[in-house]
Every structure is written in structure tokens, then in C-alpha cells.
Amino acid sequence: MKNNTDTKDSVMEKIVALCKRRGFVFQGSEIYGGLKGTWDLGPLGVALNNNLKREWWKMFVDNREDVYGLDAAILMNGKVWEASGHVAGFFDPLVEDTETGERFRADHLLKDVGVEADGMSLEELDAAILEHKVMSPKGNTLSPARQFNMMFESRIGATAGPEGKVYLRPETAQGIFVNFKNVVDTMSPKIPFGIAQIGKAFRNEIAPREFLFRVREFEQMEIEYFVKEADWETEFEKLRADIVAWHEHLGLSAENIREYEVPENDLAHYSKRTIDFEYNYPGKGFDELAGFAYRTDHDLKNHMEASGKSMEYIESDGTRFVPHVLEPSFGVGRALTAVLCEAYTEDEMNGEVRPYLKLPNHLAPFRVAVSPLLKNKPELVEKARMVFKALQAEFGNVAYDENGNIGKRYRRQDEIGTPYCVVVDFETLGQEAPDLIDTVTVRNRDTSEQERISIANLVNYCQ
Ligand code: ATP
């Protein structure tokens, strides 16, 4: 049974339960009853998350010559968010249950009854809610829609006045735009070029929901790719192919990814073209995984005007211009959820249902688990520890597991997606057949088949 053919909510529930049971994802502040819209990554979740981010960085920064890395501060001068338009316009439409006071996103309630409400004005939302007789989930009437700014505010130091106000960044992108000149001056990049950043972003979502999908604190992986205006369409197609390749690299199957061309009337006023890459989440259907927008020269021009600092790029012949920008923007949590959904598999083994994560090798929290056949035989343990240390030196993320019987160890490792289990037995020590000395059993997670491999070939085998 493969998850994506099963559209029932139960698949998502099983994944959430597995994530908690096996230390991938915990509710934020759980012992105090939680904090809505926050999740904590456990030991295996952080390993998977780090692998995902490392692969992204490798693909989009290290393996390219035209993209530069950056790690900007989360707290930025408040003027950044005025210039970017977030103070005046980063709103979601909010409605309240008139009985309970619970808050909801008006466009989401409309979407739930099949009405696409992206880009509607408050008056249009009210009219659509009336026309379609939309009620709160508790069946009560709804208040008129009003705008709700999604930025978290704080104060810096002891400054009391408005100048002390700061925001937790709602996107990593602005950290890139304000450093555009710094990167140009220090790295002398040839246009087209990109600046990439991975980091936290915060949005005071009205109604966080659906596990990691809509949360208040999340991570983004973003690239601002600077081009000449005349080249934007060619470069757009190249980056679009790179995004497709990235989703393939995550192991997401093509039939579970859909490109949604945002219609012209729904585009942000500064965008000339936006594609949402959507994933077919079980029980939810297709929804945004990543966004890809052509943002013209809107951001750099705004910062140039507001800061009075030039954001021009100067070519070797002295031509000056403000570059245009293409922005691939990925949510780490949404990618992680898609990876888990794609990997979650159930089959039958020895008459029992076996749930396991068919994770790609480069993402699995552990690349390989090593065990001695018996944990009370010092000679087996000693050899197994040796093999473990050698593999750990190569891969880093290797598990040593000697609890329970071998069958249980396999089940445990399958459930967390470990691709290979290595067992050191008496044959490894040369006690059964001399020609098998220094060979081990390697069991494959997906086929559950076992092979005899020489220790010297293990690293190659587990690549
Ligand atoms: P949505 O329409 O789903 O709210 P968005 O269009 O506002 O998303 P962008 O501003 O384009 O999202 O942000 C880029 C990416 O950041 C999204 O594609 C998504 O992967 C991620 N993201 C945005 N908001 C959240 C959130 N509240 N929780 C988790 N990930 C998010």
C-alpha cells in the first residue's frame, strides 16, 4: 500500500504519530500544553532536516559558480519592512466566529467550500461568505472580514519610542536584498547571479494547521537571482528546471508535483509571473510546496529609494542598471513533510503490516545501522564496534544498535528509514567458514534481502 494512492487523512495521522513515536517531530512546549503553530524537531527530525538543507545548499550554492551564500540577521532595522511593503501590506483576511471568538482565515474557509478567494478584497470576501452561506467550523455566523498583519513585533533594547520597534522577519528574502551591494562589492559576481540563504522566518498565522504545513515559526531556503531585464524569461526557464531537479533529488515523484501558474489577476502587484510548485499531500491534496516568482526590480528599487543607497549593478563597460529578480522560495517544513509523505510505505512481512520510510540514502537520518548478532559475545561486539567506527568516520550518521533480537532491530531501523543494516556474526570472525572472514550481512530496507559483503567494500555498498 503506497501512501499517495490512499487519500484518507489516516495516512497523515500515521505519519504524525510515527514522527512523535520515533523522535522526528514533537509538539512545541508540549509539557505546558503546547504553543499553537510551533513544533520541535527531535533527534531524528533534526538529522533529516539538516540533510535536506545540506543537499539544497550543495545543489544550489556549492555545485554552482553563480550563487553566493548569505546568513543575515533575523532582526533588521524596521525601515527594511517599511520599504519592502510588509508594514503596509503583509495582511491576511481574518474572520471571527461570532459566538466563540475563534479566528479563521476568510480565504481558507471559502477554499474549503470550493471558492478560490486569492486576491479578493474584504468586501468581495464578505459577499462570497454570504453568497455561499459559509459558517465557522462550529456552525456559527462569521464577523465581517478584516485585515490582520502577520508580522511578529518586538522591541529592541530599552528604546521606548517607535524607533525601538522591530519585527521578526516574515521572509529571509529581505536580508538578501539589503546585502545585495555588499555581495556585489566583495565578490564581483558576473550577472546573472544569485544570493542564497537558509534561515528562520516567522508569521503570525491566523490559523496554523496541518502539522508542519502552516506554522508560525519555520525555515525557508531562498534564492534571489539577479538578471538583466531582457534575460528574465530565459533565466526563468533555467531556474524552473533546477527546481524540478531539486524535487526529483528529494525523491518526490513527478505525479505528486504540480506546477500552478498563478493567474495574472492574482499576481502580487510587483510580480509579472509566479509559479507555485504544489505537492499532493495525503488527505489534503495539492497545495503549495515552494514558490517561484519573477519580482521585476521592485525590491531593489524600493530599497534604493528608501535608503538612498545605490542598488545598481555596474558592467565592465560602465553600464549601470538595477537588476531584475527571480525568486525560488522553498519552505523547509513543507519539503520535509512531502519527503515523509512520499517515503511512508506499508507492506506485509511475515503476516504483519510493516510501516517503513523509504527515504533516499542522502536524506535518511542514519545511512546504516551496525549490530553484533549477539550483544553478550564480546568478540562480536568488539568487531561490530570496529565496523561501526569505520562507517561513522565515512558517513557520520551511523547507528549502533544491539537491543532486542535482530528482527526487532530491522523493524526499528525500517521505521526510521535506515537504508542498510549491517550484522557482524560468527562468520565475520572466520569461525564458521574461513573464506567468510571479514564479511558481514547487509540487509536492504526496501527488499529486506540480505547479502554477504566484505567489510572492505561496505562504504562503497552503502553509498
Ligand atoms: P501560503 O499561500 O501557503 O500561505 P505563501 O504564498 O504566503 O504561502 P511565500 O510567501 O511564497 O508563501 O513563502 C515561500 C514558502 O515559504 C512557501 O512556498 C512555503 O513553503 C513556506 N511557507 C510560507 N508560509 C509558511 C508557514 N506559515 N508555515 C510553513 N511554511 C511556510
Side-chain angles (χ1 to χ4, degrees):
M1 180 173 65
K2 187 75 182 82
N3 57 298
N4 307 89
T5 54
D6 186 344
T7 54
K8 291 193 292 287
D9 287 338
S10 63
V11 175
M12 203 61 217
E13 280 166 17
K14 286 180 191 174
I15 292 169
V16 174
L18 187 154
C19 282
K20 173 159 173 63
R21 188 170 68 245
R22 298 308 313 274
F24 282 88
V25 183
F26 307 124
Q27 194 188 0
S29 315
E30 192 180 356
I31 62 166
Y32 290 103
L35 179 67
K36 229 173 165 217
T38 66
W39 294 89
D40 296 340
L41 294 176
L44 299 190
V46 74
L48 177 59
N49 207 52
N50 283 345
N51 289 348
L52 194 151
K53 290 189 289 180
R54 188 202 55 232
E55 290 298 312
W56 187 88
W57 196 262
K58 253 201 299 198
M59 183 179 265
F60 286 105
V61 183
D62 291 346
N63 290 351
R64 300 179 63 126
E65 291 174 46
D66 58 343
V67 180
Y68 300 82
L70 183 80
D71 192 359
I74 288 175
L75 298 177
M76 302 173 80
N77 190 313
K79 289 179 183 156
V80 171
W81 304 109
E82 280 164 26
S84 69
H86 283 79
V87 172
F90 194 55
F91 295 115
D92 268 345
L94 172 141
V95 283
E96 284 179 48
D97 179 315
T98 50
E99 298 288 317
T100 66
E102 281 172 281
R103 297 170 154 198
F104 304 98
R105 268 204 34 196
D107 55 334
H108 285 171
L109 291 182
L110 280 163
K111 199 174 175 193
D112 290 346
V113 298
V115 180
E116 195 41 74
D118 268 5
M120 277 190 186
S121 68
L122 293 179
E123 293 71 30
E124 287 166 336
L125 288 166
D126 287 340
I129 286 172
L130 208 65
E131 184 190 340
H132 296 276
K133 298 189 177 55
V134 179
M135 296 289 189
S136 81
K138 294 220 168 103
N140 302 318
T141 51
L142 296 165
S143 69
R146 64 184 164 90
Q147 298 290 27
F148 176 77
N149 194 305
M150 291 164 57
M151 282 200 294
F152 281 99
E153 285 179 26
S154 191
R155 311 222 126 254
I156 201 134
T159 327
E163 64 282 5
K165 196 196 264 186
V166 284
Y167 301 97
L168 298 188
R169 67 182 178 202
E171 60 176 30
T172 56
Q174 298 303 324
I176 297 180
F177 292 126
V178 302
N179 279 290
F180 168 77
K181 235 359 200 181
N182 285 334
V183 174
V184 169
D185 291 347
T186 51
M187 307 307 289
S188 312
K190 276 219 157 53
I191 203 151
F193 69 93
I195 304 177
Q197 171 163 228
I198 299 180
K200 288 262 180 169
F202 303 82
R203 294 184 189 179
N204 201 357
E205 293 281 352
I206 293 166
R209 56 182 188 175
E210 294 159 324
F211 196 39
L212 305 175
F213 187 85
R214 187 168 304 285
V215 291
R216 292 186 168 131
E217 174 178 343
F218 56 101
E219 284 180 294
Q220 288 186 315
M221 309 182 284
E222 293 196 303
I223 302 167
E224 302 306 323
Y225 198 75
F226 302 98
V227 300
K228 291 185 187 169
E229 182 177 6
D231 296 339
W232 82 265
E233 273 155 316
T234 333
E235 297 302 331
F236 191 95
E237 287 312 318
K238 286 194 212 158
L239 278 176
R240 181 184 183 169
D242 295 337
I243 297 170
V244 171
W246 162 245
H247 290 141
E248 270 172 29
H249 189 61
L250 288 183
L252 306 181
S253 52
E255 74 260 22
N256 282 329
I257 301 270
R258 187 170 80 179
E259 288 183 31
Y260 171 72
E261 182 86 45
V262 177
E264 223 164 290
N265 57 330
D266 282 349
L267 288 174
H269 64 279
Y270 49 77
S271 175
K272 287 235 173 101
R273 188 173 180 196
T274 297
I275 293 177
D276 286 346
F277 284 78
E278 300 184 327
Y279 182 75
N280 187 14
Y281 294 95
K284 174 173 170 64
F286 282 98
D287 211 333
E288 183 170 333
L289 170 65
F292 180 34
Y294 167 42
R295 298 175 65 106
T296 66
D297 55 359
H298 173 81
D299 304 273
L300 287 182
K301 274 225 167 114
N302 277 353
H303 284 305
M304 184 154 137
E305 211 177 286
S307 68
K309 303 281 183 327
S310 168
M311 295 288 163
E312 286 177 322
Y313 179 86
I314 307 167
E315 290 210 278
S316 48
D317 65 0
T319 320
R320 310 165 76 98
F321 60 96
V322 176
H324 281 231
V325 171
L326 302 171
E327 180 191 70
S329 174
F330 306 84
V332 180
R334 289 193 190 177
L336 191 94
T337 312
V339 164
L340 286 167
C341 292
E342 189 82 29
Y344 184 82
T345 311
E346 289 179 0
D347 62 11
E348 228 186 77
M349 193 169 282
N350 310 324
E352 272 181 53
V353 177
R354 173 180 75 132
Y356 67 104
L357 293 179
K358 215 169 174 173
L359 292 169
N361 287 7
H362 51 272
L363 296 181
F366 294 117
R367 173 64 63 105
V368 45
V370 180
S371 304
L373 179 67
L374 300 167
K375 72 170 179 186
N376 57 0
K377 295 280 177 221
E379 62 279 29
L380 288 179
V381 171
E382 192 190 340
K383 190 77 176 176
R385 297 287 312 167
M386 223 184 70
V387 172
F388 164 67
K389 284 283 167 205
L391 289 176
Q392 197 184 41
E394 179 64 29
F395 296 115
N397 56 341
V398 179
Y400 183 79
D401 189 357
E402 58 177 22
N403 293 324
N405 63 36
I406 290 286
K408 286 217 176 91
R409 291 178 209 162
Y410 287 161
R411 295 290 293 258
R412 258 202 315 270
Q413 294 300 331
D414 289 349
E415 205 184 23
I416 61 171
T418 309
Y420 308 103
C421 285
V422 166
V423 175
V424 169
D425 53 21
F426 293 106
E427 287 164 337
T428 316
L429 306 177
Q431 291 181 5
E432 309 274 318
D435 56 323
L436 292 181
I437 191 166
D438 282 337
T439 64
V440 288
T441 307
V442 184
R443 178 201 177 258
N444 182 298
R445 175 196 65 203
D446 300 340
T447 62
S448 72
E449 271 162 23
Q450 304 185 10
E451 272 190 80
R452 200 84 210 163
I453 302 290
S454 93
I455 292 174
N457 279 340
L458 264 184
V459 166
N460 250 347
Y461 188 89
C462 298
Q463 281 303 336

